[in-house]
Amino acid sequence: MSHIVFLLVPGVHLLDLAGPAQVFSSAAGFGRPYTLSYVAEQPRVTTAQGLPLVAGLDWPELGPGDLIVVPGWRAVTLADAPALGSATLKVLRDHHAGGGTVASVCAGAEALGQAGLLDGRRCTTHHDVQDELALRHPGAVVVRDVLFTADDRVITSAGIASGIDLALHLVATDHGPAAAAQAAREMVVYARRNGHEPQSSAMLRHRSHLDDTVHRAQNLIDARFDRPLPLPALAAAVGVSERTLTRLFGRATGLTPLRYQQTLRLERAQHLISHGATIDAAARSVGFEDPRMLRRLRARTV
């Protein structure tokens, strides 16, 4: 995704908007090709917290690699949601039909429902209005107790802070988990929480610490996990002894540097296999000289 367009409605929640926007902005600061725009049906939108916002009235030209995000708004029920015009709903439908991605935070799922984009798809929203969403859009498959769902380029999140998780997920999908980890660390988000899977990426799951030495070592491993990185070279690169690095790494992550590297390789290999690669090809791609090592690691996880 390159162009991220936020659709603002009256009463929009600040964090529903600012959380995802900050993620993409932080990722752009690290060189990821994101451009952010803000569109509304009126030039001035007052947030639920009382802060007035100024937005554009014209939609930019969007392509399949772009994203529309609908942040949530303050309303007692979804039936009280601000009415979106037919032209706006058509933009949402046409963008998705053209191969683009649409996403929502919190009650923003109602806008996707009004556009007909939830029919036959898994989705979620804030727990206070999940039942109502299911009643209003009986063709939708409303999933409870998850932070976000992704189904055929329709991404929905539970609300408020989970919009950050959704955005980090999209950055990781676009540019890999290391890019998402960079953005998360800059935002002082200790760890990206995952949507419906039992655990998040190792690059983020093992970043829930504040040890700068270990973070520097992880940065090196993340960038070249598919290549040999001997412990002496890694320790020298971060300016500590091998023994000290091993001790600090274990205390911060619960893993040795080698086990961390193997975990990254395994996760990347699993991704490749799920997209049609053979085990042998996946093993070579992530740096295993012998595919049997990958088979053994996969067996352990099962």
Side-chain angles (χ1 to χ4, degrees):
M1 297 165 193
S2 297
H3 205 150
I4 315 296
V5 181
F6 291 89
L7 172 61
L8 309 187
V9 303
V12 61
H13 277 297
L14 275 175
L15 188 54
D16 283 17
L17 166 63
Q22 181 64 59
V23 171
F24 292 117
S25 177
S26 295
F30 287 110
R32 310 303 172 184
Y34 289 122
T35 300
L36 279 61
S37 296
Y38 305 89
V39 173
E41 294 183 332
Q42 54 281 321
R44 182 184 174 97
V45 176
T46 301
T47 69
Q49 290 69 39
L51 179 68
L53 303 175
V54 176
L57 298 177
D58 298 323
W59 286 88
E61 184 175 346
L62 298 175
D66 299 324
L67 168 71
I68 298 175
V69 181
V70 186
W73 52 80
R74 175 174 288 168
V76 177
T77 68
L78 294 179
D80 299 324
L84 292 173
S86 59
T88 298
L89 297 177
K90 185 176 186 299
V91 169
L92 295 175
R93 284 193 297 270
D94 289 350
H95 178 61
H96 183 266
T101 301
V102 295
S104 66
V105 182
C106 195
E110 169 65 16
L112 304 190
Q114 291 180 21
L117 294 174
L118 299 185
D119 292 346
R121 296 189 174 97
R122 300 172 71 256
C123 61
T124 194
T125 187
H126 194 280
H127 53 79
D128 285 346
V129 292
Q130 286 176 348
D131 291 340
E132 187 185 3
L133 184 71
L135 288 173
R136 290 176 62 81
H137 305 286
V141 182
V142 179
V143 183
R144 276 94 172 156
D145 301 323
V146 296
L147 293 171
F148 61 85
T149 64
D151 191 337
D152 185 29
R153 293 176 289 105
V154 174
I155 322 293
T156 58
S157 64
I160 315 297
S162 67
I164 296 173
D165 302 296
L166 177 150
L168 287 170
H169 163 76
L170 291 174
V171 171
T173 300
D174 286 348
H175 303 291
Q182 279 185 314
R185 190 179 180 211
E186 183 183 66
M187 293 174 63
V188 199
V189 179
Y190 282 0
R192 186 193 73 169
R193 302 175 298 172
N194 212 22
H196 58 279
E197 297 175 0
Q199 56 187 3
S200 60
S201 165
M203 282 190 182
L204 302 173
R205 187 169 68 248
H206 297 295
R207 290 282 190 158
S208 301
H209 62 83
L210 299 176
D211 191 312
D212 283 342
T213 299
V214 177
H215 276 303
R216 292 198 305 273
Q218 287 177 293
N219 288 342
L220 293 171
I221 299 173
D222 293 352
R224 48 180 297 183
F225 68 86
D226 57 343
R227 286 167 282 172
L229 188 58
L231 182 61
L234 183 62
V238 298
V240 297
S241 68
E242 298 172 42
R243 182 176 179 180
T244 297
L245 178 59
T246 300
R247 176 175 54 81
L248 294 177
F249 209 100
R251 186 173 64 189
T253 70
L255 302 173
T256 65
L258 177 60
R259 180 58 61 85
Y260 177 70
Q261 182 186 41
Q262 287 181 336
T263 302
L264 299 186
R265 288 180 170 185
L266 174 61
E267 289 191 350
R268 178 58 182 167
Q270 298 279 45
H271 173 79
L272 294 173
I273 292 168
S274 70
H275 285 72
T278 66
I279 293 180
D280 286 7
R284 290 193 299 271
S285 178
V286 301
F288 287 120
E289 295 183 2
D290 187 341
R292 288 177 295 183
M293 175 60 76
L294 175 57
R295 290 188 174 89
R296 284 196 292 269
L297 291 174
R298 295 185 75 210
R300 289 179 192 171
T301 61
V302 174

